Amino acid sequence: DAGVIQSPRHEVTEMGQEVTLRCKPISGHDYLFWYRQTMMRGLELLIYFNNNVPIDDSGMPEDRFSAKMPNASFSTLKIQPSEPRDSAVYFCASSLALTRSYEQYFGPGTRLTVT
Amino acid sequence: AQSVTQLGSHVSVSEGALVLLRCNYSSSVPPYLFWYVQYPNQGLQLLLKYTSAATLVKGINGFEAEFKKSETSFHLTKPSAHMSDAAEYFCAVSFSGGYNKLIFGAGTRLAVHP
């Protein structure tokens, strides 16, 4: 399996622009998680989906952030408008409930820089 | 509510020395526990996991961890550090509400010097 795929790997954008991060989970996995990692705040869970349905978005910092999962093989995290404080590494992870092991598989991350 | 505390945000050891990274958890139900490793500019990779079987769990790269219920601990050890072990290590506990959610600790950065 190719693992969790994220694109782009690096994104540099100007303040006020819209940013879309993409994630393809491992085939067959029914959970998808979006995390943000910064030096100051560490690893934060933003939102997660089960069978394409958002379960908990309480970690989304504000209304500028939105996430969708239109099908089992694709999810997006959008920031509109972006701000410099959104600069971070964003990770996507997926897992399979059937195993009951809670193990999550992480993608390589997208490093976002907002200038 | 579940929580994870990793004692020491930075740990430095000499090559060949024992590695000990500490993790304490709180959970109202029998937990699943995990150690993940993050190498520079990479995602998190599972190192090992405890899922209520043997209390001593062996993982990749010579790491192991012991689940101690009485101490609510799940410390990570390796007998002899290699330079390649330099990375950030995260302890995580399963969320009792299900949903395959994990609660992560703040991480410990391990430095290995010659």
Side-chain angles (χ1 to χ4, degrees), chain B residues 42-53:
Chain B
Q42 296 187 25
L44 278 70
Q45 175 185 357
L46 183 67
L47 204 53
L48 50 80
K49 62 183 178 184
Y50 166 77
T51 56
S52 74

Side-chain angles (χ1 to χ4, degrees), chain A residues 1-21:
Chain A
D1 199 312
V4 176
I5 299 173
Q6 292 186 248
S7 65
R9 292 293 312 276
H10 302 272
E11 177 79 38
V12 179
T13 190
E14 293 183 349
M15 181 174 62
Q17 296 299 307
E18 177 179 297
V19 175
T20 299
L21 310 181

Side-chain angles (χ1 to χ4, degrees), chain B residues 89-109:
Chain B
Y89 293 80
F90 293 90
C91 183
V93 64
S94 53
F95 175 60
S96 66
Y99 295 118
N100 277 29
K101 179 179 173 179
L102 295 177
I103 309 299
F104 282 89
T108 297
R109 187 169 297 277

Side-chain angles (χ1 to χ4, degrees), chain B residues 2-107:
Chain B
Q2 292 76 37
S3 67
V4 175
T5 302
Q6 291 185 239
L7 296 176
S9 59
H10 290 81
V11 171
S12 182
V13 300
S14 298
E15 192 173 18
L18 170 72
V19 175
L20 171 61
L21 304 183
R22 300 178 186 272
C23 173
N24 288 88
Y25 70 92
S26 68
S27 179
S28 56
V29 299
Y32 289 179
L33 292 158
F34 302 80
W35 277 99
Y36 280 83
V37 60
Q38 184 181 27
Y39 298 105
N41 300 313
Q42 296 187 25
L44 278 70
Q45 175 185 357
L46 183 67
L47 204 53
L48 50 80
K49 62 183 178 184
Y50 166 77
T51 56
S52 74
T55 57
L56 182 62
V57 181
K58 294 187 182 299
I60 62 173
N61 301 336
F63 284 92
E64 62 181 37
E66 186 173 9
F67 172 68
K68 292 187 176 180
K69 183 178 179 181
S70 61
E71 299 178 7
T72 60
S73 69
F74 190 57
H75 301 332
L76 181 70
T77 61
K78 182 175 180 177
S80 176
H82 295 166
M83 297 295 290
S84 59
D85 294 328
E88 188 153 21
Y89 293 80
F90 293 90
C91 183
V93 64
S94 53
F95 175 60
S96 66
Y99 295 118
N100 277 29
K101 179 179 173 179
L102 295 177
I103 309 299
F104 282 89

Side-chain angles (χ1 to χ4, degrees), chain A:
Chain A
D1 199 312
V4 176
I5 299 173
Q6 292 186 248
S7 65
R9 292 293 312 276
H10 302 272
E11 177 79 38
V12 179
T13 190
E14 293 183 349
M15 181 174 62
Q17 296 299 307
E18 177 179 297
V19 175
T20 299
L21 310 181
R22 297 172 176 78
C23 175
K24 177 179 170 56
I26 292 173
S27 178
H29 280 193
D30 49 4
Y31 276 92
L32 185 138
F33 303 82
W34 281 101
Y35 293 88
R36 179 172 69 175
Q37 186 178 39
T38 61
M39 290 292 292
M40 292 297 295
R41 301 175 68 93
L43 191 66
E44 303 173 275
L45 176 63
L46 300 178
I47 184 172
Y48 61 99
F49 296 82
N50 178 216
N51 291 323
N52 314 337
V53 177
I55 301 300
D56 184 356
D57 65 354
S58 61
M60 297 286 262
E62 46 197 280
D63 292 345
R64 297 185 297 106
F65 286 69
S66 62
K68 295 182 179 180
M69 192 164 186
N71 57 62
S73 59
F74 183 66
S75 177
T76 60
L77 178 67
K78 185 177 294 187
I79 308 173
Q80 166 63 18
S82 59
E83 297 182 3
R85 58 192 168 124
D86 301 331
S87 297
V89 181
Y90 292 81
F91 290 103
C92 175
S94 69
S95 67
L96 179 62
L98 188 61
T99 62
R100 299 185 181 181
S101 72
Y102 284 79
E103 182 175 341
Q104 294 183 16
Y105 296 80
F106 282 75
T110 295
R111 182 173 297 275
L112 173 65
T113 303
V114 183
T115 61

